[in-house]
Each structure stands twice: as C-alpha cells, then as structure tokens.
Amino acid sequence: MAPAIAAEEGGRQRRAGSRQHCLAAAGEPLPADAEALVGAAGAARGFRAELGSILLLLVLYVLQGIPLGLAGSVPLILQSKSASYTDQAFFSFVFWPFSLKLLWAPLVDAVYLRGFGRRKSWLVPTQYVLGLFMIYMSTQVDALLGDGQGRGPDVRALTVTFFLFEFLAATQDIAVDGWALTMLSRENVGYASTCNSVGQTAGYFLGNVLFLALESASFCNKYLRLQPQPRGIVTLSDFLFFWGAVFLVTTTLVAFLKKENKELIPAKEETKGITDTYKLLFSIIRMPAVLTFCLLILTSKVGFSAADAVTGLKLVEEGVPKEHLALLAVPMVPLQIILPLVISKYTAGPQPLNTFYKAMPFRLLLGLEFAFLVWWAPKVKHEGGFPVYYYAVVVLSYALHQITLYSMYVAIMAFNAKVSDPLIGGTYMTLLNTVSNLGGNWPSTVALWLVDPLTVKECAGAQGHSCGTAAAAELCTEAGGSCVTTLDGYYVESVVCLILGFGWWFLLGPKFKKLQDEGQSSWKCKRSN
C-alpha cells in the first residue's frame, strides 16, 4: 500500500502540476469573438486530424510512467528481502526528482538546438540515455538486489540507479509537457492533459502492478501456469531489457519521423533566459502570502507520513504478498478517475481550501485504521494466506483513503490555480506544485528513517544479550537466542503522527484557510520590465 500511496502523493500531483502548467502556459483566455473563431476552427479540424500527434503524446507519457512504476515496485522487493527501514528511507530519495524538477526546468526550456527542435533537443537524448541505461542495468540489477544466500541488496547502488532513472524521466516530462503545447493546435491542446493522466497511469501500472504480478512465482504458478516453477515469468532484469529496447526504438522513430511544428510556437513560450527565470522564481517565493503558503503546506502532511510511507511495507513484513498488495490498486483506477470530477464541484468556488481542511481529520483517523490493519494481519493469516474478507477490508480502507487524499489534492490544485498570477501562470503554478509535492516527500523519508530507532527489541533465549544494534542482534542469534520486537516503531509513529496532524489542524489549519481571504494583489508578483 505504501508505494501506491506514495505514487498518489507524488505521481498524481506531478501529473496535475504538469497539466496545469501546460494549460496555463498556453496563454491568457481569448476574447469571446476569438474563442468563437477557435471553436469554428476546431470543428473544422477536429480531433481526428491530430490523432497521430495525440497517440504519440500518449506513448511518450506511457514511457515516462515505466521508470515511475519500477521505482515504486523496488521498496516492496527490498522489504521481501528483509531490508531495514533505514535502507527504505535512503531509497525514498528516488521519488524526489519529480518534486525538484523546477530547479532545472528553466535550463530545459532555454537551451536547445534550433535546427533539431526545441523539445526534441532534450527528449531524444534523454530517452536514448534512459534506454541504454536500462539495458545496461538489466545485466547488473540481479546482483544489486542480492542473491538471497548471505548477500543482501546493495541499497545505495539501487538508490543511485533509480534516482538517475527518475531524474531522466522528470527531464523527459518537462520536454514532453512543453512539446504538447506546440504539437497540438490550440483547439486540441486540452487533450494533452488527458494523454498525461492516462499515459502516466498506464505506464505506472505496467512498471509496478503488472511487473510485480509477473515477477511473483506464487502468482504465476497459481494463475498463469500449469506446472509450478521456482521463479516468475519475468525478472527485473528481463523487464529492464525489454523496456530499454522499447525506449531506443521509439526514440529513433521520433527523432527521424516527427518534426516540431514551429509555426504553432506562441511568442509567450519563448523564455527570457535562465537567469531571468530564476530571478522570477525567487521574487515569487519572497512574497509574504506565498512564503506563508509554502511554510504551511510543507508541514501539513507530517500527520500522514507513517500511514502513507510505512503501512504497505509493514503489510509485506507481516506476510501479505507484494503482488497482491500491488493488485489492490487496480479497483482504485475507476475511483481515481471519478473522484477529481466530483470533488472539483466543491473546490471550484472562492474557498477551495475549506475542502482540504474538512478532509484532513478523516485522513488522519484513517492512519490509525491502517495501523489496525497491520496489527490484524498476523491474527487472520493462515497457511493458505489471508482470507478474502481481510483483503476486502484493505480495499475499502484504501478507497476511503483515496477519497480523503483526492479531496485535499484537488483543493490544493484549485487554490494554486486561483492565486497564480496569470501573467506568469506556468512558472507560478509549477513553483506552488513543487512545494506541495515536497511537503509529502520529506515527511515520508523521515518516517521511514525513524521506524528502526523507535523499535524496541529484546533478546529472547540468551541471557546477557540485547538487540539494540545489528552487531548485538547477531551476537544474540549466535548465542542461540532470537530478537523479539516488544515495541514496533511503526505504531509509535502512527500515534505521534496523529497528534502532530491534529495539532497542525487545530493550530495552523485556520491560518491556512485564511490565505483564501488575501486579495489578488497579495499574490501578484511585482516585476521590473
């Protein structure tokens, strides 16, 4: 559950951020007569005329989702190999690049080869590097994951590898988002957000849910094979090699067959320069209203960190198969499509943060319910696994969690769109979305890091020994004892997060809502021409 939840916090916000950036950067609203002309042109040209470009965007976003899905699957694999939570915390830095892409987005926008194309100058080399790196890693990843015979996973090497994957995918995202504005005509540019959402979701599904299912020997033996085998149908090595080849073939086709439509590049899309862009970002964040928003949103998700980051890993630790946990995300897909449409009716008004404030206590209480699911797991486990009713309760809990998560997420997106200065909407929106994403990243990393220090273990069966450190635990085992957990740090974190979350809700929540009462002048950036 944790990687799925993390993907929602990171992945879904990324997509929404990209979507808003694309729409904002497309330009200011047209006058009524101009809109009528565009509508007529749209009717004449229609969706079918640009079907090829729309399908290409969809494929590019699917490819972008593959590294995201693979990165989300690795924590579950590590947990099944008994990796420590400190290792999990270190690996969680892999999910940061999409939240930090604003740092190098101006460079991607400003530096390019005009003859080759503004977006292809970054898209083509980035995807070639991704493809070649995937093929190379397919020969190394099995060793990095450990052989299961005394050699454990090399978490540091895995983190560096997948951090690079995510960095390249985030760079590809910047290029594709920008290309979507000029690849499609003005009347069809709205399809870019659909391609973004559907493509990344499909790519994540392929790289996470499908991979974990096909990699699992128990799942394949039960549902896909007549004769049991000791391994799944595919390995991570096979998966990396296949998608590396797909990246190379697709990128070659794009490089030679797809031309950028320079006639559709709007004047506003041309950047003033890298230095000017960074100065603009700095001037935005110095505004009192924006600075207050950033400080509050960076601390608002501390209360959810244990539930979002640790719960799924704890379920795997308690014996829930990682592939079953990944498959639980499948029934959530229709809900994730419907929820933004329903919730947007309540966030479209002048006070979208009211929805955020109302949903927050319910999401905090669900953190306790998640802790109950972890505690309950060993109580209902039997030789054949877990009963159907346990999975039903997990799915229901996850569905309720999605409702609260999307209520808060859509509210923040609506507020960011409401307060962003329309003259610099793309930069402004991207900055606010970046800070919102970071507000979910850092608490998750800290929560994972603190699980082991907060856990208390005793050495049972060998007097005079303890289990306070890895070396002490090894001595306990050598003396014929075993380390028994007397206090699980996850439960400590769950209670502490609940207290901190409600503390934020009571003390800072009203101040957060009050930002809605600030006038538009408080959010407009004063710039020198």
Side-chain angles (χ1 to χ4, degrees):
M1 192 178 299
I5 293 172
E8 294 306 330
E9 285 284 54
R12 292 292 186 269
Q13 288 190 14
R14 285 192 297 269
R15 285 197 289 277
S18 301
R19 215 160 35 233
Q20 298 283 5
H21 172 73
C22 289
L23 295 177
E28 297 179 29
L30 294 173
D33 55 343
E35 288 181 346
L37 289 173
V38 168
R45 188 165 188 175
F47 165 84
R48 295 179 183 276
E50 295 188 303
L51 182 60
S53 295
I54 292 172
L55 291 176
L56 174 59
L57 279 177
L58 184 63
V59 169
L60 293 176
Y61 281 119
V62 168
L63 292 180
Q64 186 184 119
I66 298 297
L68 301 177
L70 285 173
S73 68
V74 171
L76 295 176
I77 296 175
L78 292 177
Q79 194 68 10
S80 67
K81 293 177 178 289
S82 301
S84 69
Y85 285 94
T86 303
D87 289 337
Q88 294 282 9
F90 190 75
F91 187 82
S92 70
F93 283 109
V94 163
F95 303 104
W96 285 54
F98 265 88
S99 297
L100 298 173
K101 65 181 180 180
L102 181 65
L103 297 178
W104 66 93
L107 183 68
V108 176
D109 274 336
V111 179
Y112 57 94
L113 299 174
R114 186 174 295 273
F116 189 51
R118 182 178 188 181
R119 304 305 174 184
K120 286 171 63 177
S121 295
W122 286 91
L123 177 71
V124 171
T126 297
Q127 290 198 169
Y128 268 133
V129 172
L130 258 171
L132 291 172
F133 193 40
M134 281 183 168
I135 291 175
Y136 170 73
M137 285 309 303
S138 69
T139 65
Q140 306 294 321
V141 71
D142 289 338
L144 295 181
L145 287 173
D147 55 13
Q149 299 176 355
R151 188 178 65 179
D154 187 343
V155 177
R156 293 185 181 276
L158 285 169
T159 302
V160 172
T161 298
F162 280 91
F163 186 91
L164 181 57
F165 278 152
E166 300 303 286
F167 173 80
L168 291 170
T171 304
Q172 189 250 27
D173 180 54
I174 298 168
V176 176
D177 283 349
W179 198 3
L181 299 179
T182 56
M183 187 184 296
L184 302 179
S185 60
R186 181 63 182 267
E187 58 269 19
N188 288 325
V189 75
Y191 287 110
S193 63
T194 304
C195 294
N196 189 327
S197 180
V198 174
Q200 272 197 12
T201 300
Y204 188 91
F205 180 87
L206 292 172
N208 186 276
V209 179
L210 182 64
F211 164 68
L212 287 173
L214 296 180
E215 186 264 351
S216 168
S218 61
F219 181 88
C220 294
N221 291 338
K222 186 175 181 179
Y223 298 107
L224 303 176
R225 285 178 174 146
L226 297 177
Q227 296 294 329
Q229 300 290 333
R231 301 178 66 180
I233 293 177
V234 301
T235 64
L236 183 55
S237 176
D238 299 330
F239 209 77
L240 284 170
F241 183 86
F242 172 79
W243 284 106
V246 171
F247 264 89
L248 294 180
V249 171
T250 305
T251 306
T252 302
L253 293 175
V254 171
F256 288 101
L257 301 181
K258 183 64 179 178
K259 305 295 182 184
E260 291 195 39
N261 193 342
K262 298 178 181 179
E263 295 179 359
L264 290 177
I265 298 179
K268 280 193 174 184
E269 194 193 9
E270 294 297 333
T271 57
K272 291 184 177 181
I274 300 173
T275 304
D276 291 334
T277 303
Y278 285 117
K279 285 181 179 178
L280 178 59
L281 290 172
F282 186 66
S283 64
I284 294 171
I285 206 167
R286 287 178 60 192
M287 293 189 294
V290 175
L291 187 59
T292 301
F293 170 83
C294 291
L295 293 175
L296 290 174
I297 199 66
L298 282 172
T299 55
S300 64
K301 298 175 185 176
V302 171
F304 316 129
S305 56
D308 289 4
V310 189
T311 300
L313 302 178
K314 277 293 176 183
L315 289 175
V316 173
E317 185 180 318
E318 294 296 347
V320 178
K322 61 184 184 297
E323 64 275 9
H324 290 180
L325 206 56
L327 287 170
L328 292 180
V330 176
M332 295 300 108
V333 173
L335 187 65
Q336 291 165 355
I337 294 172
I338 296 170
L339 278 175
L341 301 176
V342 175
I343 296 169
S344 62
K345 296 179 181 178
Y346 301 94
T347 59
Q351 295 186 315
L353 293 183
N354 288 357
T355 302
F356 180 99
Y357 186 76
K358 291 175 182 177
M360 187 171 183
F362 294 100
R363 186 173 172 187
L364 288 170
L365 291 174
L366 280 171
L368 280 186
E369 205 270 339
F370 281 3
F372 168 76
L373 289 176
V374 174
W375 173 85
W376 192 31
K379 306 291 191 297
V380 298
K381 185 180 180 182
H382 51 75
E383 288 186 5
F386 291 84
V388 175
Y389 65 81
Y390 180 78
Y391 286 116
V393 174
V394 172
V395 170
L396 178 60
S397 302
Y398 190 20
L400 293 174
H401 177 269
Q402 292 295 290
I403 294 173
T404 59
L405 185 150
Y406 270 84
S407 295
M408 298 177 69
Y409 150 67
V410 174
I412 288 295
M413 292 299 108
F415 179 75
N416 290 351
K418 173 177 173 284
V419 301
S420 293
D421 188 340
L423 294 179
I424 48 174
T427 302
Y428 208 128
M429 276 290 297
T430 305
L431 173 63
L432 296 182
N433 291 341
T434 295
V435 176
S436 298
N437 289 344
L438 284 175
N441 284 131
W442 78 262
S444 296
T445 298
V446 172
L448 287 166
W449 223 297
L450 290 177
V451 172
D452 285 338
L454 292 174
T455 298
V456 178
K457 294 182 178 181
E458 293 181 353
C459 182
Q463 292 185 351
H465 291 275
S466 67
C467 296
T469 63
E474 188 175 345
L475 289 175
C476 171
T477 304
E478 291 176 355
S482 61
C483 290
V484 179
T485 300
T486 57
L487 179 63
D488 195 322
Y490 167 65
Y491 298 116
V492 176
E493 281 193 4
S494 296
V495 174
V496 172
C497 285
L498 185 73
I499 295 171
L500 292 176
F502 272 106
W504 190 98
W505 188 67
F506 278 115
L507 300 176
L508 299 179
K511 189 172 184 178
F512 192 57
K513 285 201 303 177
K514 199 173 180 181
L515 287 173
Q516 300 172 124
D517 300 329
E518 296 279 351
Q520 276 303 117
S521 59
S522 300
W523 303 97
K524 285 192 176 180
C525 183
K526 296 179 177 62
R527 298 177 299 156
S528 57
N529 294 327

